Amino acid sequence: MVREEIAVSTRALRWKCVESRIDSKRLYYGRFILSPLMKGQADTIGIAMRRALLGEIEGTCITRVKSEKVPHEFSTIVGIEESVHEIFMNLKEIVLRSNLYGTLDASICVRGPRYVTAQDIILPPSVEIVDATQHIANLTEPIDLCIELQIERDRGYRMKTPNNYQDGSYPIDAVFMPVRNANHSIHSYGNGNEKQEILFLEIWTNGSLTPKEALYEASRNLIDLFIPFLHAEEQEIHLKDNPNRVSLPLFTFHDEFINIRKNKKRIALKCIFIDQSELPSRTYNCLKKSNIHTLLDLLTNSQEDLLKIEYFRMEDVKRILDILQKHFGFDLTKNKF
């Protein structure tokens, strides 16, 4: 467990992780503070962050199971201690980590007698198991257990529907949320008009993300939700006592990109994410797989580097070049220096 002294700054808004611990492979805890805030701001931020942490962060889990030996979901199989329903519930608790989208296939094929755990799942290279010791079933006799699994990445909670059975496969309730719980509390200090607040934010995750990573993702998702309001159309403002009509454009997101480029604020480029650049989903997923998440990450690569990415094509590079030049005024070098 890591603890730090809480230092309140009255000059600039700052955040800090004041406590961090790992209770188990599937339970991480973090406690953060943000200060100093004006009266009322802590509650505004705390409520928004809690909702974003619990509902806006994506996760990966098993969503469908298929086995030829399963006549129906509530049946039992000779030689297996657990019922089919109990096996499904154990599979539901498997915690996975992945950044890829779409539907992926996995499988389990073992022979008893033995304990079957998450370690026995044959996964695609892009998916990791957080806790390989998670229990699935106990085979008490020398029988074969072969199960096909379907893995998806999404957000929130998805309940199985009675009519969603196909090809002998069975859907299971999917809990995509990597954040298990989030709380916020407020400490006020000062008097009168000088009264200020400190926001305390507690985060528990399932191990697929650390609390700090969850805080980062939730903050990014909140920013993305407000970006459309920054793309305001031009409005005409008529000045009194002036026959000439003056048209003043409202602040737009692209204006901020131009200011960043002029001022060469490198740290600001870390706050511009590639999913704000209207990239096709396939191109976006390829970049994310290569750990390219922000505009700064993208600009550190040359055209030659991008073409080395798996499944990347020249058309993808041309699309990126067009977007960078059109919206941000940047370009990529052809070769790595």
Side-chain angles (χ1 to χ4, degrees), residues 53-55 57-64 88-97 134 150-160 171-181 204-208:
L53 285 164
L54 294 174
I57 301 179
E58 296 179 340
T60 305
C61 65
I62 299 170
T63 58
R64 187 173 287 274
F88 286 1
M89 291 300 98
N90 291 336
L91 290 171
K92 174 183 173 181
E93 296 299 322
I94 301 292
V95 179
L96 302 173
R97 182 189 295 114
Q134 260 180 287
Q150 180 176 292
I151 298 172
E152 293 183 58
R153 180 178 175 84
D154 206 338
R155 66 182 63 184
Y157 180 82
R158 183 195 302 171
M159 292 185 64
K160 62 181 179 180
I172 59 178
D173 294 340
V175 183
F176 296 103
M177 301 177 292
V179 176
R180 290 296 183 233
N181 194 15
W204 291 262
T205 69
N206 63 1
S208 61

mmCIF file of all heavy atoms in Angstrom, residues 53-55 57-64 88-97 134 150-160 171-181 204-208:
data_model
loop_
_atom_site.group_PDB
_atom_site.id
_atom_site.type_symbol
_atom_site.label_atom_id
_atom_site.label_comp_id
_atom_site.label_asym_id
_atom_site.label_seq_id
_atom_site.Cartn_x
_atom_site.Cartn_y
_atom_site.Cartn_z
ATOM 1 N N LEU A 53 -17.094 6.675 -14.760
ATOM 2 C CA LEU A 53 -16.309 5.512 -14.333
ATOM 3 C C LEU A 53 -17.125 4.233 -14.402
ATOM 4 O O LEU A 53 -16.636 3.181 -14.818
ATOM 5 C CB LEU A 53 -15.792 5.723 -12.909
ATOM 6 C CG LEU A 53 -14.620 6.691 -12.745
ATOM 7 C CD1 LEU A 53 -14.473 7.110 -11.282
ATOM 8 C CD2 LEU A 53 -13.318 6.054 -13.241
ATOM 9 N N LEU A 54 -18.389 4.306 -13.998
ATOM 10 C CA LEU A 54 -19.221 3.114 -13.935
ATOM 11 C C LEU A 54 -19.897 2.777 -15.261
ATOM 12 O O LEU A 54 -20.236 1.606 -15.490
ATOM 13 C CB LEU A 54 -20.298 3.281 -12.850
ATOM 14 C CG LEU A 54 -19.782 3.362 -11.411
ATOM 15 C CD1 LEU A 54 -20.929 3.664 -10.459
ATOM 16 C CD2 LEU A 54 -19.087 2.075 -11.010
ATOM 17 N N GLY A 55 -20.101 3.765 -16.117
ATOM 18 C CA GLY A 55 -20.875 3.495 -17.324
ATOM 19 C C GLY A 55 -20.223 3.761 -18.661
ATOM 20 O O GLY A 55 -20.731 3.327 -19.694
ATOM 21 N N ILE A 57 -16.645 3.409 -19.406
ATOM 22 C CA ILE A 57 -15.382 2.729 -19.697
ATOM 23 C C ILE A 57 -15.664 1.344 -20.272
ATOM 24 O O ILE A 57 -16.499 0.600 -19.749
ATOM 25 C CB ILE A 57 -14.516 2.604 -18.429
ATOM 26 C CG1 ILE A 57 -14.227 3.992 -17.851
ATOM 27 C CG2 ILE A 57 -13.208 1.891 -18.735
ATOM 28 C CD1 ILE A 57 -13.398 3.964 -16.598
ATOM 29 N N GLU A 58 -14.956 1.001 -21.327
ATOM 30 C CA GLU A 58 -15.179 -0.270 -22.003
ATOM 31 C C GLU A 58 -14.360 -1.391 -21.375
ATOM 32 O O GLU A 58 -13.290 -1.159 -20.813
ATOM 33 C CB GLU A 58 -14.835 -0.150 -23.488
ATOM 34 C CG GLU A 58 -15.739 0.830 -24.224
ATOM 35 C CD GLU A 58 -15.367 0.949 -25.685
ATOM 36 O OE1 GLU A 58 -14.231 0.603 -26.031
ATOM 37 O OE2 GLU A 58 -16.228 1.365 -26.476
ATOM 38 N N GLY A 59 -14.883 -2.603 -21.475
ATOM 39 C CA GLY A 59 -14.193 -3.777 -20.978
ATOM 40 C C GLY A 59 -14.425 -4.964 -21.897
ATOM 41 O O GLY A 59 -15.220 -4.905 -22.838
ATOM 42 N N THR A 60 -13.723 -6.052 -21.633
ATOM 43 C CA THR A 60 -13.792 -7.261 -22.453
ATOM 44 C C THR A 60 -14.245 -8.430 -21.596
ATOM 45 O O THR A 60 -13.761 -8.604 -20.484
ATOM 46 C CB THR A 60 -12.419 -7.579 -23.070
ATOM 47 O OG1 THR A 60 -11.950 -6.437 -23.798
ATOM 48 C CG2 THR A 60 -12.497 -8.769 -24.010
ATOM 49 N N CYS A 61 -15.176 -9.232 -22.120
ATOM 50 C CA CYS A 61 -15.626 -10.403 -21.374
ATOM 51 C C CYS A 61 -16.219 -11.442 -22.317
ATOM 52 O O CYS A 61 -16.426 -11.188 -23.505
ATOM 53 C CB CYS A 61 -16.625 -10.013 -20.291
ATOM 54 S SG CYS A 61 -18.169 -9.352 -20.918
ATOM 55 N N ILE A 62 -16.499 -12.616 -21.766
ATOM 56 C CA ILE A 62 -17.109 -13.720 -22.516
ATOM 57 C C ILE A 62 -18.614 -13.479 -22.595
ATOM 58 O O ILE A 62 -19.264 -13.213 -21.586
ATOM 59 C CB ILE A 62 -16.812 -15.061 -21.831
ATOM 60 C CG1 ILE A 62 -15.307 -15.306 -21.782
ATOM 61 C CG2 ILE A 62 -17.515 -16.203 -22.548
ATOM 62 C CD1 ILE A 62 -14.894 -16.488 -20.926
ATOM 63 N N THR A 63 -19.180 -13.570 -23.800
ATOM 64 C CA THR A 63 -20.599 -13.278 -23.990
ATOM 65 C C THR A 63 -21.405 -14.462 -24.491
ATOM 66 O O THR A 63 -22.627 -14.432 -24.426
ATOM 67 C CB THR A 63 -20.767 -12.123 -24.995
ATOM 68 O OG1 THR A 63 -20.142 -12.486 -26.246
ATOM 69 C CG2 THR A 63 -20.138 -10.842 -24.463
ATOM 70 N N ARG A 64 -20.745 -15.505 -24.986
ATOM 71 C CA ARG A 64 -21.493 -16.646 -25.536
ATOM 72 C C ARG A 64 -20.687 -17.924 -25.366
ATOM 73 O O ARG A 64 -19.455 -17.905 -25.461
ATOM 74 C CB ARG A 64 -21.830 -16.409 -27.005
ATOM 75 C CG ARG A 64 -22.747 -17.447 -27.624
ATOM 76 C CD ARG A 64 -23.155 -17.031 -29.028
ATOM 77 N NE ARG A 64 -24.107 -15.935 -28.985
ATOM 78 C CZ ARG A 64 -25.422 -16.095 -28.859
ATOM 79 N NH1 ARG A 64 -25.931 -17.324 -28.739
ATOM 80 N NH2 ARG A 64 -26.228 -15.066 -28.831
ATOM 81 N N PHE A 88 -21.405 -21.705 -16.547
ATOM 82 C CA PHE A 88 -21.647 -20.438 -17.232
ATOM 83 C C PHE A 88 -21.400 -19.257 -16.295
ATOM 84 O O PHE A 88 -20.831 -18.236 -16.697
ATOM 85 C CB PHE A 88 -23.073 -20.391 -17.764
ATOM 86 C CG PHE A 88 -23.300 -21.249 -18.985
ATOM 87 C CD1 PHE A 88 -22.281 -22.013 -19.520
ATOM 88 C CD2 PHE A 88 -24.547 -21.299 -19.599
ATOM 89 C CE1 PHE A 88 -22.480 -22.808 -20.642
ATOM 90 C CE2 PHE A 88 -24.759 -22.077 -20.718
ATOM 91 C CZ PHE A 88 -23.732 -22.837 -21.239
ATOM 92 N N MET A 89 -21.838 -19.377 -15.042
ATOM 93 C CA MET A 89 -21.638 -18.307 -14.070
ATOM 94 C C MET A 89 -20.142 -18.109 -13.772
ATOM 95 O O MET A 89 -19.675 -16.980 -13.592
ATOM 96 C CB MET A 89 -22.388 -18.603 -12.777
ATOM 97 C CG MET A 89 -23.901 -18.540 -12.910
ATOM 98 S SD MET A 89 -24.515 -16.915 -13.456
ATOM 99 C CE MET A 89 -24.749 -17.205 -15.218
ATOM 100 N N ASN A 90 -19.388 -19.204 -13.745
ATOM 101 C CA ASN A 90 -17.936 -19.093 -13.540
ATOM 102 C C ASN A 90 -17.262 -18.420 -14.730
ATOM 103 O O ASN A 90 -16.326 -17.624 -14.561
ATOM 104 C CB ASN A 90 -17.331 -20.471 -13.300
ATOM 105 C CG ASN A 90 -17.755 -21.064 -11.966
ATOM 106 O OD1 ASN A 90 -18.120 -20.343 -11.048
ATOM 107 N ND2 ASN A 90 -17.714 -22.385 -11.864
ATOM 108 N N LEU A 91 -17.730 -18.737 -15.935
ATOM 109 C CA LEU A 91 -17.178 -18.095 -17.137
ATOM 110 C C LEU A 91 -17.507 -16.598 -17.159
ATOM 111 O O LEU A 91 -16.720 -15.792 -17.644
ATOM 112 C CB LEU A 91 -17.719 -18.767 -18.394
ATOM 113 C CG LEU A 91 -17.213 -20.185 -18.669
ATOM 114 C CD1 LEU A 91 -17.998 -20.821 -19.817
ATOM 115 C CD2 LEU A 91 -15.720 -20.172 -19.002
ATOM 116 N N LYS A 92 -18.656 -16.258 -16.622
ATOM 117 C CA LYS A 92 -19.063 -14.848 -16.551
ATOM 118 C C LYS A 92 -18.107 -14.034 -15.697
ATOM 119 O O LYS A 92 -17.889 -12.836 -15.944
ATOM 120 C CB LYS A 92 -20.485 -14.771 -15.991
ATOM 121 C CG LYS A 92 -20.997 -13.371 -15.724
ATOM 122 C CD LYS A 92 -22.379 -13.433 -15.095
ATOM 123 C CE LYS A 92 -22.845 -12.059 -14.661
ATOM 124 N NZ LYS A 92 -24.188 -12.112 -14.032
ATOM 125 N N GLU A 93 -17.488 -14.669 -14.688
ATOM 126 C CA GLU A 93 -16.602 -13.969 -13.768
ATOM 127 C C GLU A 93 -15.171 -13.857 -14.285
ATOM 128 O O GLU A 93 -14.340 -13.200 -13.650
ATOM 129 C CB GLU A 93 -16.587 -14.692 -12.419
ATOM 130 C CG GLU A 93 -17.927 -14.705 -11.701
ATOM 131 C CD GLU A 93 -18.413 -13.308 -11.373
ATOM 132 O OE1 GLU A 93 -17.558 -12.477 -11.007
ATOM 133 O OE2 GLU A 93 -19.618 -13.061 -11.491
ATOM 134 N N ILE A 94 -14.863 -14.491 -15.424
ATOM 135 C CA ILE A 94 -13.504 -14.403 -15.981
ATOM 136 C C ILE A 94 -13.205 -12.954 -16.359
ATOM 137 O O ILE A 94 -13.977 -12.310 -17.071
ATOM 138 C CB ILE A 94 -13.345 -15.305 -17.218
ATOM 139 C CG1 ILE A 94 -13.642 -16.761 -16.859
ATOM 140 C CG2 ILE A 94 -11.953 -15.171 -17.807
ATOM 141 C CD1 ILE A 94 -12.636 -17.407 -15.948
ATOM 142 N N VAL A 95 -12.084 -12.441 -15.884
ATOM 143 C CA VAL A 95 -11.686 -11.053 -16.176
ATOM 144 C C VAL A 95 -10.643 -11.073 -17.285
ATOM 145 O O VAL A 95 -9.591 -11.704 -17.159
ATOM 146 C CB VAL A 95 -11.119 -10.362 -14.925
ATOM 147 C CG1 VAL A 95 -10.697 -8.933 -15.254
ATOM 148 C CG2 VAL A 95 -12.153 -10.371 -13.806
ATOM 149 N N LEU A 96 -10.930 -10.363 -18.378
ATOM 150 C CA LEU A 96 -10.051 -10.313 -19.545
ATOM 151 C C LEU A 96 -9.586 -8.890 -19.789
ATOM 152 O O LEU A 96 -10.244 -7.924 -19.404
ATOM 153 C CB LEU A 96 -10.772 -10.842 -20.792
ATOM 154 C CG LEU A 96 -11.313 -12.281 -20.710
ATOM 155 C CD1 LEU A 96 -12.134 -12.599 -21.938
ATOM 156 C CD2 LEU A 96 -10.179 -13.275 -20.553
ATOM 157 N N ARG A 97 -8.449 -8.777 -20.472
ATOM 158 C CA ARG A 97 -7.905 -7.477 -20.847
ATOM 159 C C ARG A 97 -7.611 -7.484 -22.347
ATOM 160 O O ARG A 97 -6.907 -8.354 -22.855
ATOM 161 C CB ARG A 97 -6.625 -7.184 -20.070
ATOM 162 C CG ARG A 97 -6.017 -5.817 -20.379
ATOM 163 C CD ARG A 97 -4.641 -5.659 -19.770
ATOM 164 N NE ARG A 97 -4.676 -5.674 -18.304
ATOM 165 C CZ ARG A 97 -4.139 -6.598 -17.560
ATOM 166 N NH1 ARG A 97 -3.517 -7.636 -18.141
ATOM 167 N NH2 ARG A 97 -4.190 -6.540 -16.250
ATOM 168 N N GLN A 134 -8.661 -18.440 -11.829
ATOM 169 C CA GLN A 134 -10.111 -18.414 -11.679
ATOM 170 C C GLN A 134 -10.717 -19.768 -12.014
ATOM 171 O O GLN A 134 -10.462 -20.347 -13.060
ATOM 172 C CB GLN A 134 -10.716 -17.333 -12.585
ATOM 173 C CG GLN A 134 -11.052 -16.045 -11.830
ATOM 174 C CD GLN A 134 -11.639 -15.003 -12.752
ATOM 175 O OE1 GLN A 134 -10.926 -14.421 -13.559
ATOM 176 N NE2 GLN A 134 -12.925 -14.768 -12.632
ATOM 177 N N GLN A 150 -17.153 -17.054 -27.096
ATOM 178 C CA GLN A 150 -17.173 -15.816 -27.884
ATOM 179 C C GLN A 150 -16.848 -14.655 -26.966
ATOM 180 O O GLN A 150 -17.434 -14.518 -25.894
ATOM 181 C CB GLN A 150 -18.542 -15.614 -28.519
ATOM 182 C CG GLN A 150 -18.652 -14.355 -29.367
ATOM 183 C CD GLN A 150 -20.003 -14.247 -30.049
ATOM 184 O OE1 GLN A 150 -20.326 -15.026 -30.940
ATOM 185 N NE2 GLN A 150 -20.812 -13.303 -29.612
ATOM 186 N N ILE A 151 -15.894 -13.819 -27.382
ATOM 187 C CA ILE A 151 -15.417 -12.698 -26.569
ATOM 188 C C ILE A 151 -15.741 -11.385 -27.276
ATOM 189 O O ILE A 151 -15.543 -11.261 -28.483
ATOM 190 C CB ILE A 151 -13.899 -12.815 -26.320
ATOM 191 C CG1 ILE A 151 -13.591 -14.088 -25.532
ATOM 192 C CG2 ILE A 151 -13.370 -11.600 -25.580
ATOM 193 C CD1 ILE A 151 -12.121 -14.374 -25.407
ATOM 194 N N GLU A 152 -16.221 -10.411 -26.517
ATOM 195 C CA GLU A 152 -16.547 -9.100 -27.079
ATOM 196 C C GLU A 152 -16.051 -7.993 -26.162
ATOM 197 O O GLU A 152 -15.806 -8.215 -24.975
ATOM 198 C CB GLU A 152 -18.059 -8.956 -27.263
ATOM 199 C CG GLU A 152 -18.662 -9.872 -28.302
ATOM 200 C CD GLU A 152 -20.143 -9.629 -28.486
ATOM 201 O OE1 GLU A 152 -20.514 -8.475 -28.811
ATOM 202 O OE2 GLU A 152 -20.929 -10.566 -28.296
ATOM 203 N N ARG A 153 -15.932 -6.828 -26.743
ATOM 204 C CA ARG A 153 -15.559 -5.618 -25.990
ATOM 205 C C ARG A 153 -16.689 -4.608 -26.119
ATOM 206 O O ARG A 153 -17.140 -4.295 -27.227
ATOM 207 C CB ARG A 153 -14.251 -5.032 -26.527
ATOM 208 C CG ARG A 153 -13.784 -3.769 -25.793
ATOM 209 C CD ARG A 153 -12.462 -3.283 -26.345
ATOM 210 N NE ARG A 153 -12.060 -2.030 -25.762
ATOM 211 C CZ ARG A 153 -11.423 -1.899 -24.607
ATOM 212 N NH1 ARG A 153 -11.120 -2.985 -23.908
ATOM 213 N NH2 ARG A 153 -11.079 -0.724 -24.131
ATOM 214 N N ASP A 154 -17.150 -4.109 -24.984
ATOM 215 C CA ASP A 154 -18.265 -3.160 -24.991
ATOM 216 C C ASP A 154 -18.248 -2.410 -23.665
ATOM 217 O O ASP A 154 -17.281 -2.485 -22.915
ATOM 218 C CB ASP A 154 -19.585 -3.905 -25.199
ATOM 219 C CG ASP A 154 -20.655 -3.017 -25.832
ATOM 220 O OD1 ASP A 154 -20.539 -1.772 -25.731
ATOM 221 O OD2 ASP A 154 -21.610 -3.555 -26.414
ATOM 222 N N ARG A 155 -19.331 -1.716 -23.368
ATOM 223 C CA ARG A 155 -19.440 -0.987 -22.105
ATOM 224 C C ARG A 155 -20.753 -1.335 -21.419
ATOM 225 O O ARG A 155 -21.705 -1.793 -22.058
ATOM 226 C CB ARG A 155 -19.342 0.518 -22.325
ATOM 227 C CG ARG A 155 -20.495 1.110 -23.105
ATOM 228 C CD ARG A 155 -20.312 2.592 -23.318
ATOM 229 N NE ARG A 155 -19.133 2.875 -24.121
ATOM 230 C CZ ARG A 155 -18.715 4.102 -24.390
ATOM 231 N NH1 ARG A 155 -19.351 5.139 -23.904
ATOM 232 N NH2 ARG A 155 -17.639 4.292 -25.137
ATOM 233 N N GLY A 156 -20.787 -1.124 -20.103
ATOM 234 C CA GLY A 156 -22.017 -1.343 -19.355
ATOM 235 C C GLY A 156 -22.290 -2.802 -19.047
ATOM 236 O O GLY A 156 -21.374 -3.617 -18.887
ATOM 237 N N TYR A 157 -23.559 -3.142 -18.990
ATOM 238 C CA TYR A 157 -24.012 -4.485 -18.632
ATOM 239 C C TYR A 157 -25.016 -4.958 -19.676
ATOM 240 O O TYR A 157 -25.938 -4.223 -20.025
ATOM 241 C CB TYR A 157 -24.656 -4.463 -17.247
ATOM 242 C CG TYR A 157 -25.158 -5.802 -16.757
ATOM 243 C CD1 TYR A 157 -24.297 -6.716 -16.172
ATOM 244 C CD2 TYR A 157 -26.503 -6.151 -16.874
ATOM 245 C CE1 TYR A 157 -24.749 -7.947 -15.715
ATOM 246 C CE2 TYR A 157 -26.964 -7.374 -16.428
ATOM 247 C CZ TYR A 157 -26.087 -8.265 -15.846
ATOM 248 O OH TYR A 157 -26.540 -9.482 -15.407
ATOM 249 N N ARG A 158 -24.840 -6.163 -20.179
ATOM 250 C CA ARG A 158 -25.738 -6.702 -21.199
ATOM 251 C C ARG A 158 -26.385 -7.975 -20.674
ATOM 252 O O ARG A 158 -25.708 -8.959 -20.384
ATOM 253 C CB ARG A 158 -24.976 -7.003 -22.487
ATOM 254 C CG ARG A 158 -25.892 -7.506 -23.625
ATOM 255 C CD ARG A 158 -25.081 -8.124 -24.738
ATOM 256 N NE ARG A 158 -24.117 -7.181 -25.288
ATOM 257 C CZ ARG A 158 -23.177 -7.543 -26.155
ATOM 258 N NH1 ARG A 158 -23.051 -8.812 -26.515
ATOM 259 N NH2 ARG A 158 -22.321 -6.642 -26.616
ATOM 260 N N MET A 159 -27.706 -7.958 -20.558
ATOM 261 C CA MET A 159 -28.429 -9.139 -20.093
ATOM 262 C C MET A 159 -28.744 -10.052 -21.269
ATOM 263 O O MET A 159 -29.051 -9.590 -22.368
ATOM 264 C CB MET A 159 -29.736 -8.731 -19.402
ATOM 265 C CG MET A 159 -29.542 -7.993 -18.092
ATOM 266 S SD MET A 159 -31.106 -7.663 -17.252
ATOM 267 C CE MET A 159 -31.655 -9.336 -16.924
ATOM 268 N N LYS A 160 -28.654 -11.350 -21.028
ATOM 269 C CA LYS A 160 -29.000 -12.307 -22.076
ATOM 270 C C LYS A 160 -30.499 -12.256 -22.312
ATOM 271 O O LYS A 160 -31.300 -12.004 -21.415
ATOM 272 C CB LYS A 160 -28.581 -13.718 -21.666
ATOM 273 C CG LYS A 160 -29.280 -14.243 -20.417
ATOM 274 C CD LYS A 160 -28.799 -15.616 -20.071
ATOM 275 C CE LYS A 160 -29.499 -16.133 -18.801
ATOM 276 N NZ LYS A 160 -29.039 -17.475 -18.437
ATOM 277 N N PRO A 171 -26.091 -17.529 -24.788
ATOM 278 C CA PRO A 171 -25.549 -16.244 -24.306
ATOM 279 C C PRO A 171 -25.491 -16.220 -22.791
ATOM 280 O O PRO A 171 -26.271 -16.891 -22.119
ATOM 281 C CB PRO A 171 -26.562 -15.224 -24.839
ATOM 282 C CG PRO A 171 -27.853 -15.991 -24.894
ATOM 283 C CD PRO A 171 -27.485 -17.415 -25.245
ATOM 284 N N ILE A 172 -24.542 -15.476 -22.259
ATOM 285 C CA ILE A 172 -24.458 -15.292 -20.809
ATOM 286 C C ILE A 172 -24.431 -13.798 -20.510
ATOM 287 O O ILE A 172 -24.022 -12.985 -21.352
ATOM 288 C CB ILE A 172 -23.217 -15.982 -20.205
ATOM 289 C CG1 ILE A 172 -21.924 -15.444 -20.828
ATOM 290 C CG2 ILE A 172 -23.298 -17.477 -20.374
ATOM 291 C CD1 ILE A 172 -20.669 -16.060 -20.230
ATOM 292 N N ASP A 173 -24.895 -13.434 -19.329
ATOM 293 C CA ASP A 173 -24.876 -12.020 -18.931
ATOM 294 C C ASP A 173 -23.451 -11.481 -19.017
ATOM 295 O O ASP A 173 -22.515 -12.103 -18.518
ATOM 296 C CB ASP A 173 -25.399 -11.853 -17.513
ATOM 297 C CG ASP A 173 -26.876 -12.204 -17.413
ATOM 298 O OD1 ASP A 173 -27.543 -12.204 -18.449
ATOM 299 O OD2 ASP A 173 -27.335 -12.508 -16.297
ATOM 300 N N ALA A 174 -23.291 -10.342 -19.654
ATOM 301 C CA ALA A 174 -21.960 -9.774 -19.859
ATOM 302 C C ALA A 174 -21.781 -8.530 -19.008
ATOM 303 O O ALA A 174 -22.543 -7.568 -19.130
ATOM 304 C CB ALA A 174 -21.752 -9.435 -21.338
ATOM 305 N N VAL A 175 -20.779 -8.557 -18.136
ATOM 306 C CA VAL A 175 -20.436 -7.396 -17.316
ATOM 307 C C VAL A 175 -19.151 -6.800 -17.889
ATOM 308 O O VAL A 175 -18.055 -7.263 -17.589
ATOM 309 C CB VAL A 175 -20.246 -7.781 -15.837
ATOM 310 C CG1 VAL A 175 -19.962 -6.535 -15.004
ATOM 311 C CG2 VAL A 175 -21.466 -8.511 -15.310
ATOM 312 N N PHE A 176 -19.298 -5.793 -18.734
ATOM 313 C CA PHE A 176 -18.141 -5.199 -19.397
ATOM 314 C C PHE A 176 -17.417 -4.187 -18.501
ATOM 315 O O PHE A 176 -16.309 -3.779 -18.811
ATOM 316 C CB PHE A 176 -18.574 -4.498 -20.682
ATOM 317 C CG PHE A 176 -19.136 -5.424 -21.724
ATOM 318 C CD1 PHE A 176 -20.500 -5.511 -21.939
ATOM 319 C CD2 PHE A 176 -18.293 -6.210 -22.494
ATOM 320 C CE1 PHE A 176 -21.019 -6.350 -22.902
ATOM 321 C CE2 PHE A 176 -18.798 -7.057 -23.459
ATOM 322 C CZ PHE A 176 -20.166 -7.139 -23.660
ATOM 323 N N MET A 177 -18.047 -3.768 -17.421
ATOM 324 C CA MET A 177 -17.532 -2.666 -16.606
ATOM 325 C C MET A 177 -16.274 -3.074 -15.836
ATOM 326 O O MET A 177 -16.344 -3.929 -14.945
ATOM 327 C CB MET A 177 -18.607 -2.205 -15.625
ATOM 328 C CG MET A 177 -19.879 -1.737 -16.283
ATOM 329 S SD MET A 177 -21.166 -1.279 -15.088
ATOM 330 C CE MET A 177 -21.548 -2.870 -14.375
ATOM 331 N N PRO A 178 -15.118 -2.469 -16.143
ATOM 332 C CA PRO A 178 -13.904 -2.770 -15.379
ATOM 333 C C PRO A 178 -13.878 -2.112 -14.006
ATOM 334 O O PRO A 178 -13.136 -2.533 -13.127
ATOM 335 C CB PRO A 178 -12.782 -2.225 -16.263
ATOM 336 C CG PRO A 178 -13.426 -1.169 -17.080
ATOM 337 C CD PRO A 178 -14.851 -1.585 -17.284
ATOM 338 N N VAL A 179 -14.700 -1.070 -13.810
ATOM 339 C CA VAL A 179 -14.783 -0.404 -12.505
ATOM 340 C C VAL A 179 -15.900 -1.051 -11.701
ATOM 341 O O VAL A 179 -17.062 -1.040 -12.108
ATOM 342 C CB VAL A 179 -15.043 1.107 -12.665
ATOM 343 C CG1 VAL A 179 -15.231 1.763 -11.302
ATOM 344 C CG2 VAL A 179 -13.895 1.769 -13.411
ATOM 345 N N ARG A 180 -15.531 -1.632 -10.566
ATOM 346 C CA ARG A 180 -16.510 -2.316 -9.730
ATOM 347 C C ARG A 180 -17.298 -1.346 -8.850
ATOM 348 O O ARG A 180 -18.475 -1.543 -8.564
ATOM 349 C CB ARG A 180 -15.799 -3.346 -8.857
ATOM 350 C CG ARG A 180 -15.260 -4.532 -9.627
ATOM 351 C CD ARG A 180 -16.395 -5.315 -10.239
ATOM 352 N NE ARG A 180 -15.940 -6.503 -10.938
ATOM 353 C CZ ARG A 180 -16.245 -6.795 -12.174
ATOM 354 N NH1 ARG A 180 -16.989 -5.958 -12.871
ATOM 355 N NH2 ARG A 180 -15.828 -7.907 -12.760
ATOM 356 N N ASN A 181 -16.653 -0.275 -8.423
ATOM 357 C CA ASN A 181 -17.341 0.710 -7.586
ATOM 358 C C ASN A 181 -16.563 2.016 -7.626
ATOM 359 O O ASN A 181 -15.351 2.022 -7.869
ATOM 360 C CB ASN A 181 -17.478 0.215 -6.146
ATOM 361 C CG ASN A 181 -18.469 1.043 -5.342
ATOM 362 O OD1 ASN A 181 -19.258 1.807 -5.900
ATOM 363 N ND2 ASN A 181 -18.433 0.904 -4.026
ATOM 364 N N TRP A 204 -12.520 1.361 -7.335
ATOM 365 C CA TRP A 204 -12.198 -0.060 -7.261
ATOM 366 C C TRP A 204 -12.338 -0.662 -8.653
ATOM 367 O O TRP A 204 -13.376 -0.468 -9.308
ATOM 368 C CB TRP A 204 -13.141 -0.798 -6.318
ATOM 369 C CG TRP A 204 -13.010 -0.479 -4.870
ATOM 370 C CD1 TRP A 204 -12.318 -1.176 -3.922
ATOM 371 C CD2 TRP A 204 -13.617 0.616 -4.164
ATOM 372 N NE1 TRP A 204 -12.444 -0.594 -2.686
ATOM 373 C CE2 TRP A 204 -13.233 0.511 -2.799
ATOM 374 C CE3 TRP A 204 -14.442 1.673 -4.555
ATOM 375 C CZ2 TRP A 204 -13.659 1.421 -1.840
ATOM 376 C CZ3 TRP A 204 -14.854 2.579 -3.602
ATOM 377 C CH2 TRP A 204 -14.464 2.455 -2.250
ATOM 378 N N THR A 205 -11.330 -1.383 -9.151
ATOM 379 C CA THR A 205 -11.396 -2.003 -10.478
ATOM 380 C C THR A 205 -11.215 -3.513 -10.365
ATOM 381 O O THR A 205 -10.786 -4.029 -9.333
ATOM 382 C CB THR A 205 -10.328 -1.432 -11.419
ATOM 383 O OG1 THR A 205 -9.027 -1.869 -10.983
ATOM 384 C CG2 THR A 205 -10.371 0.087 -11.456
ATOM 385 N N ASN A 206 -11.522 -4.218 -11.471
ATOM 386 C CA ASN A 206 -11.432 -5.683 -11.479
ATOM 387 C C ASN A 206 -10.051 -6.199 -11.875
ATOM 388 O O ASN A 206 -9.869 -7.403 -12.059
ATOM 389 C CB ASN A 206 -12.486 -6.275 -12.422
ATOM 390 C CG ASN A 206 -12.264 -5.862 -13.872
ATOM 391 O OD1 ASN A 206 -11.316 -5.150 -14.201
ATOM 392 N ND2 ASN A 206 -13.141 -6.308 -14.746
ATOM 393 N N GLY A 207 -9.080 -5.314 -12.035
ATOM 394 C CA GLY A 207 -7.729 -5.727 -12.376
ATOM 395 C C GLY A 207 -7.389 -5.594 -13.840
ATOM 396 O O GLY A 207 -6.214 -5.601 -14.211
ATOM 397 N N SER A 208 -8.396 -5.461 -14.708
ATOM 398 C CA SER A 208 -8.103 -5.260 -16.130
ATOM 399 C C SER A 208 -7.583 -3.852 -16.389
ATOM 400 O O SER A 208 -6.909 -3.601 -17.392
ATOM 401 C CB SER A 208 -9.352 -5.523 -16.977
ATOM 402 O OG SER A 208 -10.394 -4.630 -16.633
#
